């Protein structure tokens, strides 16, 4: 554990309304704002993949799932 710490910090910066959860809209804004390694990746897809309890947002316990998804989808670690 701990290898995703920088990812977690980055994800936290996406939380525009500061509710502690990342919605698909917040993720989509991040994807649009990042022309680099995240380009072409769909936030909606990521939320769907990582949203373990199906409530439509990524909460703290699901960020690791999102990190895992991103690693697989993008080949980054
Ligand atoms: Ca939020
Ligand atoms: Ca959730």
């Amino acid at each position: 554990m701990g290898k995703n710490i920088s990812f977690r910090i980055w994800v936290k910066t996406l939380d525009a309304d500061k509710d502690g959860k990342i919605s698909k809209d917040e993720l989509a804004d991040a994807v649009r704002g990042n022309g680099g390694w995240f380009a072409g990746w769909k936030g909606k897809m990521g939320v769907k993949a990582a949203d373990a309890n199906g409530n439509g947002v990524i909460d703290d316990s699901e960020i690791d799932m999102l990190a895992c998804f991103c690693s697989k989808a993008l080949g980054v670690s």
Side-chain angles (χ1 to χ4, degrees):
M1 294 300 285
K3 69 176 182 173
N4 290 326
I5 191 73
S6 60
F7 183 87
R8 291 179 71 95
I9 292 168
W10 178 77
V11 167
K12 289 291 185 184
T13 69
L14 308 182
D15 187 16
D17 60 7
K18 305 296 180 195
D19 66 352
K21 302 175 181 68
I22 310 302
S23 68
K24 65 179 185 302
D25 288 341
E26 286 168 342
L27 205 51
D29 283 347
V31 173
R32 275 195 294 274
N34 187 328
W37 65 272
F38 230 48
W41 186 77
K42 301 224 173 5
K44 193 174 165 185
M45 197 169 108
V47 169
K48 194 176 177 186
D51 186 17
N53 63 5
N55 67 350
V57 296
I58 304 302
D59 64 31
D60 209 47
S61 66
E62 291 166 347
I63 289 175
D64 284 339
M65 298 275 291
L66 186 63
C68 184
F69 172 83
C70 288
S71 297
K72 285 178 184 164
L74 300 168
V76 297
S77 58

